[in-house]
Each structure stands twice: as C-alpha cells, then as structure tokens.
C-alpha cells in the first residue's frame, strides 16, 4: 500500500513518464514523497507558465505527453496560458495539481491558494478536468486522462488531488488498464480516396501537425501520386527535405493558387485553422474542387473546411493503409517543378526583408545539422512560418500561430532538449519575448541543456510598432527597455556573445556549438 501521492508517481512511471516539470509547494509535497526514489526526472523551472511551455516543447519533440506537477491556486493559474497554447496546437499535456481539502471546497473561507472553483476554471482550458475524491479511483482516472489527451485530438488534461486524498492509502496494481487503440479507417473511403487520387491530374496534399506521425508513409504516398505537399507551421520538415514539400504558408497568394488549381486535395491532420490558412484575415483562401480530409477527431473534421469525403482515423494508420491499397501506382504530374515555381513566387511575394530572414534560418539549419529551431513570436519566426524548409519532422515549431503566447520559445526549447537530447536545439526569440521568461536561462544551466539562445534584438515590439504605423496609429507601448542580455546570461554562468546584425551569426553559432553548454547570442538587428 502507498499513499495516493506515492501511487500517482508509480502509475506515471509505469505509463512511461520519464520527466516531470514543476515547482514544489506545500500543496504538492505529498506527491513528491514517491518522486525522489523513482526513475522520473524532475525539472524545476522558475515559473509555472514555463513548466507548461517546457512540457509542450518536450511533447512536440518526442511525441509523448508532457507532464506538469503544480500547486493549487497560483500554480495552475500561472499555467493556464501554456495549457491554452497546447490546446490550440493539439499537444498532449497532463497537468496534475493539488487542491485544498474536499470539505473546504466552495466555502471561500480564505484557505491558502483557495479558488472559488478550481475544477470549473481548469475545465475551460483543458480537454478534461477531474477532481480525485477517492483513492481507489486513481487508476481509472489516470487511464481516462491518458486516453483523452492521446486519443482523438490531443491536448491538455487536468487532474486535481485534494490534500486529504493525497494521504489516503491505495494499492498500485501490477498491470495497468490498456489504453484504447488509435482509430482505424474503414476500407471503403480508403478505396475511394485511392480511386480519386489515381484519376486526378493535379492532386495536392495539405499536411498539418497531426500528420507528423505519418511522415514516412506520407512521403511514399506523395511520391507515388507525384503530389505536392503543402505543410503548415507544425508540419514543416515532414518530408525530410523532399522536393515535393511545398514548405510555404497556405495564407500566401502563390500557395493558394496551387490549392485552387488542384482537382483533388487530401488534407491530413490539419485543422484548417485561420492562423495557417488565413493569417492575414483577407478571406482569400480558395474553394477546393474536392476535399478528402483525414482527422482523428470526428468533431474537428466538421470544423473549418467541411470535406467532400471525411475519414475519421489516426493519420499514421490511415496513410499507411492508403499506401497499402495503392501499391503499384506511379503517376507523373510535374509536381517538383510546380513546387519550385510556387516557392520562387512565395519568396518574391513576401519581400526582401522576410526573404533575408528566411535565408538566415536556412543558414542555421545548414550550420547545425539536424537542428531543431524552437521559436517565439518574433520577426524572423514570422518569416519562417511563411516559408522555411527543414530537413526532418518536429524540427520547426513555435507559438506564433494558434493561441500565440509570447514567452514560449526559451522554456519550450529547454523542454525539447530534455526530451530529445540527441538533437541540437536553437531557440530563436525576440528581446520582448525573452523578457517574459528570462529567468529560464538559469533552468537551462541547472539542467545542462545545451540550447543555443539567439535573441533577435530590435529593442522593442517592432512588428507591433510597424502594424500601428501601417494603420495610422501613433506607436505607444512598443519600446520596453531591454537589459544587457549578455550580462544576464553571464549572471547564470552561461557563456555568450553580442553580434551586430546577421552577417557574423554563422561563426557565432560555430562557437556556440563548440562551447558544449547553453549559450546566448545577443544579435542586435535594425
């Protein structure tokens, strides 16, 4: 028999959790009783919002759920922003929090960290929130949590454990209940999809973040039908540098032209969200001649673009099955030339400033082979979301789409480096965004994560300032003073350097690689 706090850790370990992000407090210490003797690594950020962003980065890099352990009240409210970002981007995240004793709920008698109804508040931002009232329910509650956040459309879930329930005694079973298997497609819509793609003269594939797990099979399918693959932000690199990947935003006129010309479109794991398909809110996204849509969530497949042929199934399973039923097919549609022409038009469309920033991103990719670039909301990241070619899946992600939380970059990069330590990580953040989470430089040093932090330092919120000017608004509030980032890094023991402009970034990256530790490059740009 173990306390619920100890049993919780044992359950997580049995489910393959190897890392937990959290800041201990009096409302969670009972859960820490079993943590020190487990195989789970505990990471202590400086703020609970960063704990959530680290869990997010870990999940995006590994494909496994990120797990947070937070105190009640301010702990969970601090994490709401990161949970909302995870929900917007379909990132699996388990947030476990304490809560005051059951008998105190709803009375508002001034207990420490008390909220009127924490469960109700968390229900609004998570896919599912549950209060554990009985020790004997722990097993099935965790099973449901893992089912909800990894089945259908992934996202954040929340479990709160009252202080008195944490100390109750419970058995930890040797065998945990199995999780439901991913949804498999029916054969009929797959055969119809194969027929339509075979008959198409200009087939096109739209791949979103939900298609990442299907990367290998999707490449085979694209090559078999000679179909360009337009990748949204969270799918960049899904074809591993293939000339069939049209790594440009479907919000661009050049890409929309290709979409409009397609006679059959296969959408895989994409929400058809506005920040991917209509980021300029011009309403110019084209009608599609015939849309087949593969999505793991029946509710999601009815949002956005309603398909002519819906297939509710796990993307990896569905695409692998499509590969099986289309064996022997080999089509030629001049797709590589269409992709090259579209990319050339996209670069011309976005203008010289963004084109130069995209060239810088490609330089980072080439100087640091296998790099994962984790971004914050900053100019060069906006440029990369428009056009950026990466060489493998899960190597480009940021918070400049969907929910759009500032301060995502640094903690998410740390989480990604912890989850996949073999892949080098560059965090591209602005001077404004880094100031949201500057203390996490200390976490990078504590955990010895060799993240290279590149600060796009234009001394303010320049993108917002430009937007104000373009809309005849006198700029206000867009010039927060930046500190000397180099001195801040050095205060945490982190080496670094300051450079002027992008011309010497390549050599600075070489020095950062050689340092073998976290490193900060403060890049002053105009």
């Amino acid at each position: 028999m173990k306390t619920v706090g100890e049993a919780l850790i044992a359950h997580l370990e049995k489910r393959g959790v190897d890392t937990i992000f959290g800041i201990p407090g009096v409302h969670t210490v009972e859960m820490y009783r079993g943590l020190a003797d487990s195989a789970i690594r505990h990471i202590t950020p400086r703020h609970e919002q960063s704990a959530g962003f680290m869990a997010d980065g870990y999940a995006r890099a590994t494909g496994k759920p990120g797990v947070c352990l937070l105190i009640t009240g301010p702990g969970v409210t601090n994490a709401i922003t990161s949970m909302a970002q995870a929900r917007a981007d379909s990132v699996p995240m388990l947030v476990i929090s304490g809560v005051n004793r059951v008998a105190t709920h709803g009375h508002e008698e001034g207990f420490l960290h008390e909220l009127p109804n924490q469960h109700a508040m968390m229900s609004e931002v998570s896919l599912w929130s549950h209060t554990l009232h009985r020790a004997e329910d722990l097993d099935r509650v965790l099973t449901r949590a893992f089912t909800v956040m990894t089945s259908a459309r992934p996202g954040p879930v929340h479990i709160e454990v009252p202080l008195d329930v944490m100390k109750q005694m419970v058995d930890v079973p040797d065998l945990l209940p199995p999780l439901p298997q991913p949804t498999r497609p029916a054969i009929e819509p797959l055969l119809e999809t194969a027929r339509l793609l075979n008959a198409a003269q200009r087939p096109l594939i739209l791949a979103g973040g939900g298609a990442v797990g299907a990367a290998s099979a999707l490449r085979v399918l694209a090559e078999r039908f000679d179909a360009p693959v337009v990748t949204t932000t969270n799918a960049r690199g899904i074809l591993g540098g293939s000339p069939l990947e049209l790594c440009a935003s479907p919000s661009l006129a050049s890409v929309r032209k290709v979409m409009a010309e397609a006679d059959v479109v296969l959408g895989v794991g994409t929400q058809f969200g506005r920040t991917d398909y209509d980021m300029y809110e011009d309403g110019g996204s084209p009608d599609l001649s015939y849309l087949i849509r593969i999505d793991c969530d029946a509710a999601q497949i009815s949002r956005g673009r309603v398909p002519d042929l819906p297939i509710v199934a796990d993307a990896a399973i569905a695409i692998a099955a499509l590969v099986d039923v289309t064996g022997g097919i080999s089509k030629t549609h001049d797709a590589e030339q269409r992709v090259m022409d579209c990319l050339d038009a996209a670069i011309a469309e976005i203008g010289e400033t963004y084109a130069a920033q995209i060239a810088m991103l490609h330089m980072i990719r080439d100087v640091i082979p296998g790099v994962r670039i984790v971004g914050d909301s900053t100019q060069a990241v906006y440029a990369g979301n428009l056009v950026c070619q990466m060489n493998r899946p899960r190597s480009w992600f940021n918070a400049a789409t969907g929910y759009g939380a500032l301060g995502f970059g640094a903690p998410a990069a740390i989480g990604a480096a912890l989850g996949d330590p073999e892949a080098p990580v560059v965090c591209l953040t602005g001077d404004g965004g880094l100031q949201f989470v500057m203390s996490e430089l200390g976490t990078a040093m504590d955990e010895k994560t060799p993240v290279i932090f590149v600060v796009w330092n234009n001394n303010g919120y320049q993108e917002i300032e430009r937007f104000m000017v373009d809309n005849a608004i006198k700029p206000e509030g867009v010039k927060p003073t930046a500190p000397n980032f180099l001195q801040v890094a050095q205060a945490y023991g982190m080496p670094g350097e300051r450079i002027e402009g992008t011309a010497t970034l390549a050599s600075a990256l070489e020095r950062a690689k050689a340092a073998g530790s976290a490193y900060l490059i403060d890049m002053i740009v105009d």
Side-chain angles (χ1 to χ4, degrees):
M1 300 287 285
K2 297 178 181 290
T3 67
V4 166
E6 292 174 298
L8 174 67
I9 300 301
H11 273 275
L12 294 176
E13 193 171 3
K14 284 176 178 288
R15 294 206 183 279
V17 174
D18 55 25
T19 306
I20 284 178
F21 303 91
I23 301 174
V26 294
H27 285 67
T28 54
V29 290
E30 185 59 46
M31 290 187 275
Y32 279 78
R33 186 184 299 278
L35 189 56
D37 294 328
S38 75
I40 298 175
R41 182 179 183 182
H42 183 271
I43 307 299
T44 308
R46 272 46 176 182
H47 193 280
E48 289 89 357
Q49 177 175 289
S50 292
F53 285 148
M54 287 179 190
D56 182 307
Y58 172 96
R60 295 189 201 225
T62 65
K64 301 191 301 182
V67 181
C68 296
L69 186 55
L70 307 175
I71 66 166
T72 185
V76 290
T77 56
N78 281 342
I80 283 177
T81 295
S82 44
M83 293 176 69
Q85 184 71 51
R87 179 162 183 161
D89 286 349
S90 302
V91 176
M93 180 190 297
L94 171 59
V95 175
I96 302 168
S97 76
V99 70
N100 285 305
R101 291 180 294 110
V102 174
T104 71
H105 294 184
H107 294 296
E108 296 190 63
E109 294 180 343
F111 287 92
L112 180 65
H113 301 329
E114 185 180 59
L115 283 166
N117 190 335
Q118 180 173 283
H119 164 69
M121 180 186 67
M122 299 304 288
S123 295
E124 290 298 313
V125 73
S126 57
L127 298 179
W128 178 70
S129 178
H130 184 85
T131 306
L132 183 69
H133 286 116
R134 303 188 309 165
E136 56 266 36
D137 291 338
L138 177 63
D139 188 5
R140 62 178 179 170
V141 167
L142 281 169
T143 298
R144 186 172 178 190
F146 274 82
T147 298
V148 171
M149 73 175 164
T150 59
S151 305
R153 183 186 176 194
V157 298
H158 168 246
I159 299 171
E160 60 181 15
V161 185
L163 290 174
D164 45 342
V165 177
M166 281 183 207
K167 297 178 181 180
Q168 293 177 9
M169 304 302 291
V170 66
D171 250 333
V172 180
D174 292 331
L175 296 176
L176 300 179
L179 299 177
Q181 294 300 304
T183 309
R184 293 183 170 275
I187 189 62
E188 291 80 5
L190 291 179
L191 293 174
E192 178 64 3
T193 299
R195 185 191 70 78
L196 289 164
L197 289 173
N198 193 32
Q201 295 303 305
R202 284 187 169 248
L204 180 70
I205 298 173
L206 303 175
V212 171
S216 298
L218 189 67
R219 180 168 186 157
V220 173
L221 192 71
E223 291 173 350
R224 185 165 291 173
F225 289 99
D226 197 29
V229 180
V230 176
T231 50
T232 66
T233 296
N234 287 325
R236 291 290 165 77
I238 197 170
L239 295 195
S242 165
L244 291 178
E245 183 175 340
L246 209 177
C247 50
S249 170
S251 292
L252 294 173
S254 47
V255 180
R256 287 173 169 181
K257 181 175 183 292
V258 172
M259 293 167 61
E261 292 171 348
D263 50 359
V264 175
V265 177
L266 174 62
V268 185
T270 178
Q271 298 176 32
F272 286 91
R274 292 300 182 90
T275 52
D276 279 317
Y277 288 84
D278 193 17
M279 68 176 295
Y280 297 114
E281 299 184 5
D282 58 11
S285 192
D287 292 331
L288 302 177
S289 295
Y290 193 94
L291 174 63
I292 307 160
R293 189 170 173 188
I294 298 174
D295 199 286
C296 62
D297 186 3
Q300 183 61 36
I301 213 168
S302 65
R303 300 185 184 114
R305 295 297 185 90
V306 177
D308 299 285
L309 176 58
I311 301 176
V312 179
D314 176 82
I317 294 174
I319 297 300
L322 264 177
V323 168
D324 287 342
V325 301
T326 57
I329 293 177
S330 180
K331 308 295 269 187
T332 302
H333 299 300
D334 200 25
E336 290 188 16
Q337 187 62 51
R338 289 160 58 204
V339 168
M340 286 184 5
D341 291 345
C342 183
L343 286 174
D344 288 344
I347 292 294
E349 178 182 346
I350 62 179
E352 293 182 2
T353 299
Y354 269 173
Q357 292 168 12
I358 291 164
M360 180 196 74
L361 296 174
H362 290 164
M363 179 273 292
I364 295 174
R365 177 201 64 196
D366 296 338
V367 168
I368 307 178
V371 69
R372 172 175 287 120
I373 301 178
V374 181
D376 214 319
S377 294
T378 194
Q379 286 179 339
V381 171
Y382 301 145
N385 284 349
L386 291 175
V387 182
C388 185
Q389 175 68 63
M390 300 301 290
N391 291 332
R392 62 189 184 91
R394 303 183 188 277
S395 59
W396 171 269
F397 59 83
N398 55 77
T401 62
Y403 195 62
L406 201 57
F408 172 89
I414 294 168
L418 289 165
D420 184 13
E422 299 303 313
V425 177
V426 167
C427 170
L428 184 55
T429 181
D431 55 294
L434 184 57
Q435 289 185 76
F436 275 49
V437 291
M438 196 157 50
S439 57
E440 302 308 337
L441 299 178
T443 308
M445 295 303 293
D446 284 352
E447 305 303 333
K448 298 179 173 56
T449 53
V451 175
I452 300 173
F453 298 92
V454 177
V455 185
W456 183 268
N457 190 344
N458 55 24
N459 197 34
Y461 301 134
Q462 194 174 97
E463 197 75 9
I464 305 304
E465 180 178 4
R466 180 178 297 137
F467 187 81
M468 287 179 167
V469 171
D470 290 346
N471 286 274
I473 299 170
K474 185 177 180 180
E476 184 64 56
V478 293
K479 288 292 185 182
T481 300
N484 186 319
F485 289 111
L486 193 57
Q487 290 182 356
V488 173
Q490 290 169 347
Y492 285 111
M494 182 184 297
E497 60 184 280
R498 174 177 288 172
I499 61 175
E500 296 287 339
T502 62
T504 59
L505 178 59
S507 58
L509 289 169
E510 294 286 2
R511 290 187 289 273
K513 281 197 303 181
S517 70
Y519 196 93
L520 185 137
I521 300 171
D522 187 12
M523 186 168 63
I524 310 301
V525 293
D526 183 0

